[in-house]
Amino acid sequence: MIDDLAVDHDIHEIACPEGRLRVITAGDTGPPVVLLSGGGTDSATLSWRHLIPDLADSFRVFAPDWPKQGRSQPWRGVADHDRLVRCVTEVLDHFGLDRVALVGLSQGGAISLAYAIEHPDRVSTIVALAPAGIIDFPPVVHQLLWLTAKIPFLSRTLPSLMSRNRAQTEAFTRRGLFAALPDDFDQVVDEIMAEGATGSSSSDWQNTSIGPFRMRVDLRPRLSEIRCPTLFLQGDSDVGIRPHFTVAAARLVPGAKLIMLENTGHWISRQPPALVNPMIKDFLTD
């Protein structure tokens, strides 16, 4: 795993019954912001490499590795939706944070929205980048995805094997995560392979959020309960979270703002950080 960041930062570990929760912190002054990364082969460093330094001059930044990701492993037990929501509470309580802004990508976007629904008094602002938890699939596709999640070889072994082969990792990253390649594409591939080497692969949240006939995690019926300022950022070429789902979700959150990014894929925080980071910072500052 590649841990270097272009800003002074500290590493903390929160002791949990299942293992340790690793948290990167940066910035000494300003309102607190918690950054929640995506699922699977990801980490706080991978998703937020460019955003952490950009926010640290004006905010206190807290970026946890999800269980079974980065250095939050080994982890005993299932890191499903309810457990990840509790992880956010553990981070807030550990650092004595009463109320925070949440910035979440994909899986982290789902947890950000869910946390604002379940704990509205602890969330000041949300920025949801291509959030999960707001999608569904046609019947046959749904059953195939459910079966994939249920078969250990498919859900865990294949992603791990892919991250050991540079050509396959590059191909997947090009097709699945980016619409236009970032300037640091080679570094991104290096980081994905380094993260894969730690043993992280698919996400318990991803595998448990889909049931045999419907999504077990579907936040859409409760999005209207969110009352804090909310920004949705969505790539128009995202093949992981199709744009129409995010457009529909943004309409359900009272007063939410939506920005559709042209020629942008799923990994919004890494494809155009020079464009996206000021948007996030401005929204958190308003």
Side-chain angles (χ1 to χ4, degrees):
M1 188 170 69
I2 302 173
D3 252 352
D4 59 299
L5 288 170
V7 66
D8 289 338
H9 64 282
D10 294 310
I11 304 295
H12 303 261
E13 290 187 354
I14 302 174
C16 302
E18 304 92 336
R20 64 178 183 267
L21 195 63
R22 196 280 291 261
V23 184
I24 298 171
T25 64
D28 297 322
T29 59
V33 179
V34 176
L35 308 181
L36 302 176
S37 55
T41 306
D42 196 2
S43 69
T45 311
L46 247 173
S47 273
W48 310 119
R49 170 170 298 283
H50 301 299
L51 184 59
I52 291 173
D54 280 0
L55 292 182
D57 62 346
S58 303
F59 299 89
R60 288 177 290 147
V61 181
F62 304 83
D65 282 336
W66 289 124
K68 304 185 182 182
Q69 248 187 26
R71 301 212 172 172
S72 293
Q73 51 184 321
W75 186 274
R76 300 171 296 276
V78 178
D80 59 8
H81 180 78
D82 290 341
R83 187 63 188 92
L84 297 193
V85 170
R86 292 207 316 274
C87 283
V88 178
T89 297
E90 288 165 338
V91 171
L92 269 56
D93 289 350
H94 179 83
F95 292 102
L97 305 173
D98 294 327
R99 198 161 179 255
V100 301
L102 295 177
V103 179
L105 167 70
S106 194
Q107 173 182 286
I111 301 302
S112 298
L113 297 170
Y115 202 80
I117 293 169
E118 299 294 339
H119 304 279
D121 57 323
R122 304 200 74 172
V123 182
S124 62
T125 313
I126 300 170
V127 180
L129 292 75
I134 59 167
I135 66 175
D136 52 48
F137 304 98
V140 175
V141 174
H142 183 102
Q143 273 73 51
L144 288 173
L145 291 171
W146 175 72
L147 284 172
T148 300
K150 290 299 178 185
I151 300 172
F153 177 77
L154 294 177
S155 66
R156 300 188 184 280
T157 307
L158 290 182
S160 178
L161 290 173
M162 184 205 72
S163 64
R164 295 174 194 163
N165 182 302
R166 187 174 188 88
Q168 291 177 350
T169 301
E170 287 183 355
F172 169 77
T173 305
R174 289 173 186 271
R175 292 195 303 266
L177 299 178
F178 297 125
L181 297 188
D183 293 337
D184 61 347
F185 179 73
D186 287 339
Q187 181 180 357
V188 170
V189 175
D190 289 341
E191 292 178 60
I192 292 173
M193 296 189 70
E195 176 63 25
T198 69
S200 66
S201 56
S202 64
S203 156
D204 286 350
W205 185 92
Q206 293 167 334
N207 292 337
T208 58
S209 66
I210 183 168
F213 302 107
R214 63 181 179 84
M215 300 300 293
R216 290 196 180 104
V217 177
D218 186 349
L219 304 174
R220 291 173 293 185
R222 299 190 63 188
L223 289 178
S224 62
E225 299 176 32
I226 295 175
R227 289 293 181 265
C228 63
T230 302
L231 170 64
F232 289 85
L233 293 173
Q234 175 65 43
D236 66 351
S237 303
D238 190 341
V239 298
I241 303 295
R242 299 291 182 179
H244 71 274
F245 286 116
T246 303
V247 170
R251 290 172 179 159
L252 295 173
V253 178
K257 181 179 180 181
L258 168 69
I259 298 178
M260 189 67 64
L261 302 166
E262 295 183 0
N263 196 31
T264 301
H266 185 63
W267 213 350
I268 295 173
S269 59
R270 290 301 299 255
Q271 183 184 328
L275 172 67
V276 169
N277 289 1
M279 294 178 180
I280 295 173
K281 193 170 183 178
D282 288 348
F283 191 77
L284 295 176
T285 303
D286 286 345

